[in-house]
Amino acid sequence: MSELAELYQELILDHSKRPRNFGPLPEANRHANGHNPLCGDKITLHVLLEGDRIRDLRFEGAGCAISTAAASLLTEALKGKDRAAAEALFARFRELVTGKVESEDARRALGKLAVFGGVCEFPMRVKCATLAWHTLLAALDKREESITTE
Amino acid sequence: MKVRSPAATESAARKDAAPARFDVAAVRKDFPILAQRVYGKPLIYLDNAATSQKPQAVIDAIANYYSESNANVHRAVHALGARATEAYEEAREKVRRFLNAGDAREIIFVRSATEGINLVARSFGAQGLARGGEILITAMEHHSNIVPWQLLCEERGARLRVVPMNDDGELLLDEYEKLLTPRTRLVAASHLSNALGTLNPVARMIELAHARGVPVLLDGAQAAPHLPIDVRGLDCDFYVFSGHKLYGPTGIGVLYGKAALLEAMPPYQGGGDMIRVVTFEKTTFNDLPWKFEAGTPHISGAIGLGAAVDYLERIGRTAIEDYESGLFRYAEEALARVPDLVLFGSKTQRRGVLSFNLGRIHPHDVGTVLDRAGIAIRAGHHCAQPVMDRLGVTATARASIALFNTREEIDRLAEALVEARRVFG
């Protein structure tokens, strides 16, 4: 597979065109805005947090295929997870997109998110893949000012 | 220190010269960077509005300066110092000719077009800009021609007014005229828009402003590489451009200002070289242009810029303009044939820059697909976020041409765009 096809895998294209969990979440009690000032990508995450557990989450915004698919797949991966699990998954995800995954087990642990493995060949796009994750952490931390990738 | 006096006959002689033949294959050989392949594909560089590539003549001029003449300027008694000073001031004279300015004292070396605008904002704009005063810019400015004025206006309680544009990215001259009032202190406008490629009717704008006694600054960062510039013909009061977009090095730019205005302006920065006599009680300032060049200047940058100007003059600026306009029309037509491609900007007054979107594909994704085809374009807001807001988009893709681009490269671009459309379906 060419690096380009590796980056834009079917699953990523699908989620970028038909993002899941897209739209407002009126019952959310956490919100955060993420912004990539370099390309203008903007994302808003709405999270319904009960205790330490993410009961529901949805997102809104406009961005490139990578950032949109990353946000969409994030919402699928984190529903029902607690904060520690979310942070652990982000740590693994970051290793994946920066090309630092140590083992096949680590890759498997990422589940569907492993589809972002091609991003590490495109250093300029790592920020696109991680924008939603940074925004999520901000929402959990109740940081309401806009998060930027810079 | 002596600035050479202007030679009034030069520009006349240039106009009489026979039109030069433009040989793009020969031109390409002058740019060593173009010989490489990226991802196994020949490099197609179409991000010239961000920064242009450099001809060997510029690279050599910088290297030669450091290997043969390096010394500080305007202060050494030794041979190298004299050589460096001569080369630096010669570069100023070349820029004077390039802009058809009347006097080399009117050419100030700065870091960039941005610094030139900041200098005028701080030194000229601050004089007499009181509460209630107004600075007039346009809807298509680069952030560098917005933010310095915003800062100034906030500080002074003055007001930043903006000339609107239509959906095709053309300024509304009627609105411009209405916005010129007795409160207007200065007009600051781009000569050629970096985000849309619109060539603004600057001669008319200057005429209208001058009729009301309002001076005009033109941001020529995009215009200078593409069009012959004649500051006396335009009668603009200030003109700025950057060296690196004009085939020269980064870190050097030019501010042209009418001598009478520059004379009356206070210094921008204080330091060495811009002074005549310093005591702890009082400092008297140097003459133009050095009054505005505090500290050791970017000597090699100025020399590199001088070499870039020489290079363009050698090819012939009219020949360059002719070649580029043919290439640009070809590119406009080629992109218009790409399905789902929306081209922004004026249909009649567009130069050098093609700003577009491809269906609903994000410009960043378009940029990545093109990159893997060896094609460098820009994707983003082009440091002109208000333009993006006006167009109702978050970003655009932008291909910008230079004198070394070819029709074959444009064909490759169009093919790669069709491929991008296939990838994203």
Side-chain angles (χ1 to χ4, degrees), chain B residues 197-368:
Chain B
T198 311
L199 178 63
N200 284 320
V202 291
R204 180 75 185 133
M205 290 169 75
I206 291 167
E207 197 183 349
L208 289 167
H210 284 179
R212 292 156 179 83
V214 178
V216 178
L217 173 145
L218 292 183
D219 173 0
Q222 296 299 333
H226 297 295
L227 308 168
I229 307 296
D230 179 353
V231 292
R232 274 188 292 183
L234 284 169
D235 196 28
C236 59
D237 301 277
F238 300 102
Y239 197 95
V240 299
F241 71 91
S242 284
H244 73 97
K245 295 189 203 288
L246 191 90
Y247 312 103
T250 54
I252 189 79
V254 168
L255 163 65
Y256 157 83
K258 284 181 179 167
L261 292 171
L262 293 173
E263 294 278 12
M265 285 157 56
Y268 170 54
Q269 293 180 329
D273 220 27
M274 52 78 72
I275 47 81
R276 184 167 295 130
V277 181
V278 177
T279 68
F280 287 116
E281 287 69 41
K282 186 167 172 54
T283 294
T284 51
F285 302 121
N286 204 338
D287 294 328
L288 289 178
W290 309 291
K291 178 172 92 173
F292 290 107
E293 294 181 0
T296 296
H298 187 6
I299 305 166
S300 69
I303 290 168
L305 175 57
V309 163
D310 279 346
Y311 177 77
L312 295 177
E313 300 282 5
R314 209 156 51 235
I315 295 175
R317 289 172 72 194
T318 312
I320 293 170
E321 194 194 5
D322 288 350
Y323 174 75
E324 283 190 357
S325 68
L327 178 68
F328 191 70
R329 295 296 156 242
Y330 184 82
E332 280 180 316
E333 286 163 20
L335 292 201
R337 285 193 297 270
V338 175
D340 293 339
L341 189 140
V342 177
L343 201 51
F344 297 105
S346 168
K347 286 168 189 70
T348 56
Q349 295 304 314
R350 189 164 43 202
R351 305 281 189 281
V353 167
L354 290 162
S355 206
F356 60 91
N357 271 333
L358 189 57
R360 295 187 54 212
I361 310 172
H362 193 280
H364 247 203
D365 296 317
V366 174
T368 292

Side-chain angles (χ1 to χ4, degrees), chain A residues 3 8 17 37 41 65 125, chain B residues 362 364-365 368 372 381 423-424:
Chain A
E3 283 176 347
Y8 292 116
K17 283 180 218 159
D41 287 356
R125 307 303 298 275
Chain B
H362 193 280
H364 247 203
D365 296 317
T368 292
R372 293 287 151 151
H381 53 56
V423 170
F424 293 97

Side-chain angles (χ1 to χ4, degrees), chain B residues 404-421:
Chain B
F404 50 69
N405 290 124
T406 66
R407 294 186 176 206
E408 291 70 35
E409 290 181 318
I410 299 300
D411 293 341
R412 297 289 95 73
L413 169 68
E415 286 163 18
L417 288 168
V418 171
E419 169 65 12
R421 201 171 152 268

